[in-house]
Amino acid sequence: MVFQSYLKNCLQLSCILRTPKAGFRSSSGGLIIQSVSNDVYQNLAVEDWIHDHMNLENRQVLFLWRNSPAVVIGRHQNPWQECNLRLLRQKNIKLARRRSGGGTVYHDLGNINLTFFTTRKKYERMENLKLVVKALKALRPQLDVHVTDRYDILLDRQYKISGTAAKLGRTTAYHHCTLLCNADKFVLSSVLKSPYKGLKSNATPSVPASVKNLFEEDPSLTCEMLLDAIAEEYATQHQTDHQITLINPADETVLPGINKKTKELQTWDWVYGKTPKFSVHTCFNIAYKDSVLDVKVDMDVKHGRIEGCNIDLPEQWLPPALRSELVKNLTGSKFCPNETTTLATALLRVCPQDDDLHSRWNLLCENIIMLM
Amino acid sequence: MAAVTALRSGCRAAGRLVCIHRVRSCSSIRFIKSKYVCVFDKSAFKFSHQQRLFRTSAVSRGQIVQFKLSDIGEGITEVTVKEWYIKEGDSVSQFDSICEVQSDKASVTITSRYDGIIRKLHYNLDEIAYVGKPLVDIEIDASKGVAPEEDVVETPPMSHEEHTHQEIKGHKTLATPAVRRLAMENNIKLSEVVGTGKDNRILKEDILNYLAKQTGAILPPSPKGEIIPPLPKSETVPAAPKDKARKIPLPVSRPLVFSGKDKTEPITGFHKAMVKTMSAALKIPHFGYCDEIDLTQLVQLREELKPLAQIRGVKLSFMPFFIKAASLGLLQYPILNASLDESCQNVTYKASHNIGVAMDTEQGLIVPNVKNVQVCSVFEIASELNRLQALGSAGQLGTNDLTGGTFTLSNIGTIGGTYTKPVILPPEVAIGALGKIQVLPRFNGKGEVFKAQIMNVSWSADHRIIDGATMARFSNLWKSYLENPASMLLDLK
């Protein structure tokens, strides 16, 4: 039964999307869609698709989505500055860069995302957030929630439960926000703490805030209830059906070209390569046999690649030719642990086969890789 | 006089049917399929027509227009410039993205209002830009004038009958550098192509269609000798120039329409690592030795052991057997697990058998190794392989896993192939590549034909310290362990 209504909704949706100017029988202004996927890249691609392809002159769209664990950074942010990439890799948490501005957020299934699509002229973030607050209060009148002038929603006047970002194009615009229902706060705080030192960058920094789940305030709340309440408030305000159309972000027939967008969002060049220019100036100690030595590393990274690199070591700890070979090879490579490891180990093949030398080399390279 | 005639025939062309609307490749797909638009508004047509006919041919430098940063909304007055998509000297079309600015959590894509050439960027990256103040200076064509503030309605596309080409001569053709190059490569005069873009700009599709028409015009003669016209409603076409090329069935070679360009990029990362390694490998004089192995018994053995390994949480492939057999062989022929120093004065016999396994990951070739195979059981090797494979596909292999190898096996057969010519990875002196397992007919001891599981192996070794006989004997020993797995039990430590 769910499947049939899903099909019906898909057909209706493809009608809407294909003939934007045709009148759709029950909606005059608003369309509410919900993603069936929890893949952050697919869902971000849907946002891109609607932004690029839908004509929103006579219609506004509300898109509801949730993701399996992922960290989403803003368009102009630096992932090294914003989160613990090592931890992300270990825990298999995805990293995505969205096209809207703003700061870094952690998503998991306990967090809901809302995207309000309008024409550029009708872009109005405060109204959208007030709608969300109204929905929350209608659901649970005792909740103390309000919108700040930084476009956050605070619970009990101190805990952030929602963050906002927006993207404006030539004719369309969207405003999306999160809403913490029951997210894993422990993972959230550990992944959003960057261990990387010595980074200097003009990337947009995130503003850390204390967060709280709505579930902690009222354990009877679930994500589904929140989604429903918001959809209902939206439907009321836009005088349209409270009917949520399900959308499959992998369906090319309904969203032609969507898979290409999804792939683009996953490329290294987008996620890491779009990081604004930054530099790393740091030093670390290496304990080797009976001594401890200081190593200073300076790198300039542009488009995610090492543009300039300098490694300061005590003289003769490594043969100078080898050190300069390392620097030369790092230049132009991605600021990425996997690539650096491959390069470093390849270089080791062509230098004298001395166990001591190999240990030193491995030690140095591992420390450099820790910076990435 | 000529101008008047041209005008008249032009009007007739317009009065006739018309256009196949081309969907531009730019972002806003408005789902417009083929439309037939009748250009009946003759006054509008005449006006634009006049513009084309009576314009002087020489166009001097265009007018520089300051494109101001338009209102972002919500009362925002300043934004930060975060990324430029163009640089000074680039040509832009209307609606092309110029830059990305950010204001208070909103990222805004600024698109161009004009066609032209960027002459000046008023801000550097990370500078604050002000709404209402100039963002870039664009030099636009003098002939076109400044576009109005609102979005310009697209002019109806023109029909492209051949005789309208003459009318366009003397008119400055608008085309992007890429389109001009394409025309030049195919020896096409831009003045002969009808542009269907904005303000008769010539698009890439116009060039391609022009080329297609050149050859498409050559149609095989139909039985009645009729000419098949390209557009359906062409009855009112004036007789003269249209049929010029249509009747001739001469085979003309189709000009190659290929607008791809060579792309040069620097070698970095995984490729650079390969360049380094393989260039060093060139110094090693390789010789090859190949053989085929009958794995019928091993296949059966593995089938029996797979579920046992599964229970212990390990996926058992053939590689652990190949690796262990190689290690047993290396115990008898340790020179294959050695290393020659740079000056070729000394050979070092390595005590540990750290057998490398070539792995194909998304980023490229990577060779982690299993340490100390000589003291590992087949199960331990399988488990270690699982770990390395998981790390390899996640791109998380550490330096320790990737260094210290003494001998390498490459199972290219999982992808395909039989015999190969593998390249030795310095500082090692030997490498083996395994082809795919095929079911082939072979003779058994009784002279009967049976189904055998055959795999090919190709060894390469450093001929400076390894001779053919050593390699052959090692290979035979390795082969005997695998063809009769029970014999491995005798020598397992």
Side-chain angles (χ1 to χ4, degrees), chain A residues 17 75-76 89 101 125 150 152 164 166-168 170 202 204 274 305 325 332 338-339 349 353 366, chain B residues 31 74 82-83 85 95 100 102 104-105 107 109 111 126 268-270 276 363 396 399 403 426-427:
Chain A
L17 297 177
R75 173 78 172 78
H76 308 288
R89 288 178 202 124
R125 291 181 285 182
R150 276 199 80 239
D152 292 334
T164 266
K167 170 101 190 76
L168 288 87
R170 192 172 56 85
N202 280 332
T204 317
K274 278 292 181 185
R305 286 175 188 271
E325 203 42 37
N338 198 22
E339 265 203 22
R349 289 188 183 279
Q353 295 309 299
E366 267 163 22
Chain B
F31 297 101
E74 291 185 339
K82 282 298 191 178
E83 189 174 340
Y85 293 123
F95 307 147
E100 197 79 21
Q102 180 166 260
D104 187 29
K105 308 183 195 181
S107 185
T109 308
T111 55
D126 290 323
T268 57
F270 275 65
K276 284 247 160 301
Q363 288 102 327
Q396 289 177 29
T399 46
T403 53

Side-chain angles (χ1 to χ4, degrees), chain A residues 48 99 259-271:
Chain A
D48 281 348
R99 291 192 194 268
N259 286 305
K260 186 159 164 241
K261 287 191 190 291
T262 309
K263 275 205 190 65
E264 203 199 317
L265 286 164
Q266 290 172 298
T267 60
W268 190 94
D269 280 322
W270 173 258
V271 178

Side-chain angles (χ1 to χ4, degrees), chain A residues 4 6 35-36 65-66 77 91 139 152 159 195 207 209-210 227 237 239 265 282 292 297 325 330 338 344 350:
Chain A
Q4 276 168 339
Y6 167 66
S35 174
V36 304
W65 42 299
R66 282 195 285 164
Q77 289 201 298
K91 283 182 172 291
L139 190 59
D152 292 334
Y159 299 108
V207 176
S210 315
L227 285 169
Q237 286 200 14
Q239 290 134 5
L265 286 164
T282 184
V292 174
V297 175
E325 203 42 37
L330 283 176
N338 198 22
V350 301

Side-chain angles (χ1 to χ4, degrees), chain A residues 4-296:
Chain A
Q4 276 168 339
S5 70
Y6 167 66
L7 263 185
K8 178 174 78 115
N9 286 335
C10 270
L11 283 173
Q12 284 173 344
L13 184 66
S14 69
C15 287
I16 297 166
L17 297 177
R18 281 182 194 290
T19 54
K21 291 216 165 70
F24 182 60
R25 56 184 162 81
S26 56
S27 97
S28 57
L31 171 66
I32 308 174
I33 54 179
Q34 183 169 346
S35 174
V36 304
S37 162
N38 292 327
D39 179 270
V40 62
Y41 304 111
Q42 285 188 336
N43 290 327
L44 287 172
V46 171
E47 283 190 325
D48 281 348
W49 194 96
I50 297 178
H51 179 73
D52 289 344
H53 298 322
M54 260 186 99
N55 183 340
L56 295 165
E57 266 169 56
N58 300 322
R59 171 177 299 107
Q60 303 193 354
V61 180
L62 172 65
F63 176 42
L64 309 167
W65 42 299
R66 282 195 285 164
N67 297 320
S68 51
V71 169
V72 183
I73 57 175
R75 173 78 172 78
H76 308 288
Q77 289 201 298
N78 181 330
W80 288 275
Q81 233 178 3
E82 297 298 330
C83 54
N84 189 339
L85 291 174
R86 253 176 276 137
L87 194 58
L88 258 77
R89 288 178 202 124
Q90 271 170 28
K91 283 182 172 291
N92 235 342
I93 297 176
K94 298 182 189 161
L95 176 68
R97 180 187 295 268
R98 55 178 192 266
R99 291 192 194 268
S100 56
T104 302
V105 281
Y106 169 73
H107 288 184
D108 66 16
L109 289 170
N111 168 69
I112 64 178
N113 300 300
L114 317 160
T115 312
F116 298 85
F117 290 91
T118 59
T119 58
R120 173 98 178 238
K121 294 192 181 70
K122 295 215 187 99
Y123 165 70
E124 181 49 80
R125 291 181 285 182
M126 209 38 105
E127 290 303 310
N128 299 334
L129 292 171
K130 286 197 180 132
L131 188 156
V132 174
V133 163
K134 192 158 171 223
L136 290 176
K137 285 210 160 71
L139 190 59
R140 293 284 183 274
Q142 76 279 15
L143 277 177
D144 176 7
V145 283
H146 81 284
V147 187
T148 69
D149 51 14
R150 276 199 80 239
Y151 304 104
D152 292 334
I153 300 182
L154 292 184
L155 176 63
D156 297 335
R157 310 262 138 188
Q158 41 173 307
Y159 299 108
K160 184 169 166 180
I161 58 168
S162 164
T164 266
K167 170 101 190 76
L168 288 87
R170 192 172 56 85
T171 51
T172 55
Y174 63 80
H175 158 222
H176 54 199
C177 58
T178 55
L179 193 59
L180 282 173
C181 176
N182 191 7
D184 189 335
K185 279 200 322 194
F186 179 68
V187 176
L188 187 153
S189 51
S190 55
V191 299
L192 293 185
K193 208 187 330 231
S194 163
Y196 304 105
K197 305 265 182 298
L199 293 175
K200 250 206 314 227
S201 136
N202 280 332
T204 317
S206 291
V207 176
S210 315
V211 296
K212 194 172 178 186
N213 283 309
L214 281 168
F215 176 82
E216 292 173 63
E217 190 75 5
D218 181 344
S220 67
L221 284 173
T222 66
C223 288
E224 285 78 15
M225 289 167 73
L226 293 176
L227 285 169
D228 222 40
I230 294 166
E232 193 172 329
E233 185 59 41
Y234 187 85
T236 312
Q237 286 200 14
H238 289 82
Q239 290 134 5
T240 167
D241 260 359
H242 175 190
Q243 181 191 359
I244 301 180
T245 310
L246 293 176
I247 187 166
N248 179 0
D251 191 346
E252 281 277 337
T253 52
V254 177
L255 307 162
I258 186 95
N259 286 305
K260 186 159 164 241
K261 287 191 190 291
T262 309
K263 275 205 190 65
E264 203 199 317
L265 286 164
Q266 290 172 298
T267 60
W268 190 94
D269 280 322
W270 173 258
V271 178
Y272 295 97
K274 278 292 181 185
T275 308
K277 205 159 70 154
F278 68 98
S279 61
V280 181
H281 302 286
T282 184
C283 53
F284 48 82
N285 297 330
I286 299 185
Y288 185 68
K289 294 202 173 152
D290 293 330
S291 53
V292 174
L293 51 141
D294 289 319
V295 181
K296 245 177 33 119

Side-chain angles (χ1 to χ4, degrees), chain B residues 84-93 96-98 112 114-121 136-140 176-177:
Chain B
W84 284 110
Y85 293 123
I86 41 85
K87 51 187 191 300
E88 289 174 8
D90 283 349
S91 58
V92 288
S93 314
D96 281 354
S97 297
I98 288 200
S112 176
Y114 311 109
D115 295 326
I117 302 174
I118 303 284
R119 284 296 173 216
K120 183 171 176 199
L121 305 181
V136 292
D137 288 348
I138 303 183
E139 179 189 320
I140 59 180
T176 62

Side-chain angles (χ1 to χ4, degrees), chain B residues 104-414:
Chain B
D104 187 29
K105 308 183 195 181
S107 185
V108 190
T109 308
I110 307 291
T111 55
S112 176
R113 194 178 290 130
Y114 311 109
D115 295 326
I117 302 174
I118 303 284
R119 284 296 173 216
K120 183 171 176 199
L121 305 181
H122 284 262
Y123 301 101
N124 291 322
L125 281 181
D126 290 323
E127 276 185 358
I128 308 231
Y130 297 92
V131 171
K133 295 269 169 33
L135 184 68
V136 292
D137 288 348
I138 303 183
E139 179 189 320
I140 59 180
D141 267 334
S143 47
K144 291 198 292 165
V146 181
E149 287 294 294
E150 326 86 53
D151 285 350
V152 177
V153 174
E154 287 187 8
T155 55
M158 308 305 298
S159 114
H160 51 202
E161 287 298 300
E162 282 98 287
H163 58 265
T164 59
H165 293 180
Q166 279 77 46
E167 297 157 14
I168 309 179
K169 239 182 235 172
H171 155 82
K172 176 170 162 111
T173 46
L174 292 168
T176 62
V179 171
R180 284 180 196 275
R181 197 176 311 127
L182 179 61
M184 200 175 65
E185 285 167 4
N186 291 287
N187 289 315
I188 298 171
K189 271 204 254 192
L190 280 176
S191 53
E192 284 170 19
V193 181
V194 184
T196 56
K198 189 170 161 25
D199 290 326
N200 301 322
R201 169 187 297 266
I202 296 174
L203 305 175
K204 191 175 98 174
E205 296 93 73
D206 301 329
I207 305 271
L208 296 178
N209 279 310
Y210 178 82
L211 282 167
K213 272 192 82 175
Q214 297 285 295
T215 53
I218 313 305
L219 300 165
S222 63
K224 290 187 217 163
E226 264 176 352
I227 294 117
I228 305 154
L231 295 170
K233 291 194 191 159
S234 40
E235 308 87 9
T236 55
V237 171
K242 212 174 64 92
D243 335 314
K244 48 183 184 209
R246 299 273 163 76
K247 279 202 182 110
I248 309 166
L250 283 173
V252 171
S253 64
R254 197 182 167 79
L256 285 168
V257 179
F258 178 62
S259 55
K261 278 193 307 199
D262 289 349
K263 193 168 95 150
T264 306
E265 47 186 39
I267 293 189
T268 57
F270 275 65
H271 284 137
K272 205 182 219 176
M274 262 204 322
V275 168
K276 284 247 160 301
T277 311
M278 301 309 166
S279 302
L282 272 181
K283 299 194 190 108
I284 305 176
H286 287 54
F287 77 90
Y289 177 87
C290 305
D291 204 350
E292 73 168 41
I293 324 278
D294 182 350
L295 292 181
T296 314
Q297 289 191 27
L298 185 65
V299 168
Q300 205 177 344
L301 177 65
R302 179 180 160 251
E303 279 309 304
E304 289 170 19
L305 294 177
K306 230 169 49 168
L308 287 178
Q310 200 65 47
I311 293 171
R312 297 196 214 167
V314 165
K315 195 164 159 259
L316 185 68
S317 62
F318 285 104
M319 273 313 263
F321 297 100
F322 299 150
I323 292 171
K324 189 59 184 172
S327 173
L328 292 176
L330 289 174
L331 286 173
Q332 305 302 321
Y333 300 97
I335 193 154
L336 289 160
N337 197 52
S339 186
L340 191 57
D341 71 2
E342 296 235 318
S343 53
C344 303
Q345 297 284 337
N346 297 302
V347 72
T348 310
Y349 294 88
K350 299 280 182 181
S352 306
H353 299 170
N354 298 336
I355 299 192
V357 179
M359 234 176 243
D360 173 50
T361 64
E362 262 180 22
Q363 288 102 327
L365 170 69
I366 204 164
V367 190
N369 56 79
V370 180
K371 300 274 192 294
N372 291 312
V373 177
Q374 75 277 9
V375 296
C376 290
S377 65
V378 170
F379 177 77
E380 283 164 349
I381 298 169
S383 149
E384 177 66 1
L385 264 183
N386 278 186
R387 182 188 77 88
L388 291 172
Q389 268 153 357
L391 287 176
S393 38
Q396 289 177 29
L397 282 166
T399 46
N400 202 35
D401 291 324
L402 292 169
T403 53
T406 57
F407 184 86
T408 302
L409 284 178
S410 166
N411 194 359
I412 191 75
T414 49

